Amino acid sequence: MPLLTFGGTQAFWVILCLLLYLLGGEDEREAAFMALTALVLGFFLSEALKMVIARPRPYEVIGWVRHATVAGGYSMPSGHAVAAFAGFISLYFRLGRPWFFIILASLVGISRIYLGLHYPSDVLAGAVLGVLCAFTALKIDERVKCFGLCRFDRLQQN
């Protein structure tokens, strides 16, 4: 489970997006850009929500919950789940293979519950927020492309 939970860390996503950008083709570069956009949105939104909701982690309030490690900050929403769903769903939008990416994101969420660091509702909230961030990144990507293409078309017409 600690290996699976790594799929929701900043280090994982920076390395993965860097590899996709440097070693991949145009689709992989676009996927990396979109994933990073979704991840940045997700990070700021989840941190803001954590401060507003201020929910303690399960191992802090339930004596029988075993935890493999100690995590700082609050529990709701799961930042790892936000990152996993924002990143993996963004990759799906550009690279296909929906079930592969949904399963990877879900495994990260399950690992957070298994490790005693989040309630199931924390992971569900993180998943919803991550998916919303991925859709927002998709819309941003479409607008950036349209803006660039529209400007290029106008320059060619003149």
Side-chain angles (χ1 to χ4, degrees):
M1 288 297 171
L3 180 63
L4 288 175
T5 208
F6 185 65
T9 63
Q10 294 168 352
F12 172 82
W13 284 103
V14 167
I15 292 167
L16 180 61
C17 289
L18 190 60
L19 289 173
L20 284 171
Y21 190 82
L22 294 175
L23 304 176
E26 186 177 337
D27 287 343
E28 287 78 12
R29 282 190 206 98
E30 288 180 7
F33 173 76
M34 193 181 338
L36 286 174
T37 302
L39 289 160
V40 168
L41 285 170
F43 174 78
F44 286 112
L45 290 173
S46 67
E47 290 302 309
L49 283 172
K50 281 177 183 274
M51 287 190 266
V52 170
I53 298 168
R55 182 182 198 180
R57 294 185 181 273
Y59 68 84
E60 295 173 329
V61 294
I62 303 172
W64 54 265
V65 171
R66 295 185 320 207
H67 56 285
T69 185
V70 175
Y74 294 112
S75 184
M76 170 73 98
S78 166
H80 281 70
V82 172
F85 278 88
F88 285 127
I89 297 300
S90 294
L91 294 182
Y92 148 62
F93 287 152
R94 286 292 171 239
L95 304 177
R97 299 181 217 107
W99 291 113
F100 175 70
F101 289 120
I102 291 169
I103 288 170
L104 288 176
S106 299
L107 288 172
V108 171
I110 291 167
S111 75
R112 302 305 287 170
I113 298 166
Y114 179 86
L115 293 171
L117 301 171
H118 288 286
Y119 298 98
S121 57
D122 300 341
V123 171
L124 182 60
V128 169
L129 183 57
V131 169
L132 290 174
C133 289
F135 274 105
T136 302
L138 176 64
K139 292 299 177 190
I140 290 170
D141 185 60
E142 289 172 354
R143 287 188 183 238
V144 167
K145 281 183 183 175
C146 178
F147 182 72
L149 291 175
C150 294
R151 289 188 66 202
F152 183 70
D153 290 342
R154 284 188 207 142
L155 289 173
Q156 281 187 329
Q157 290 173 354
N158 292 335

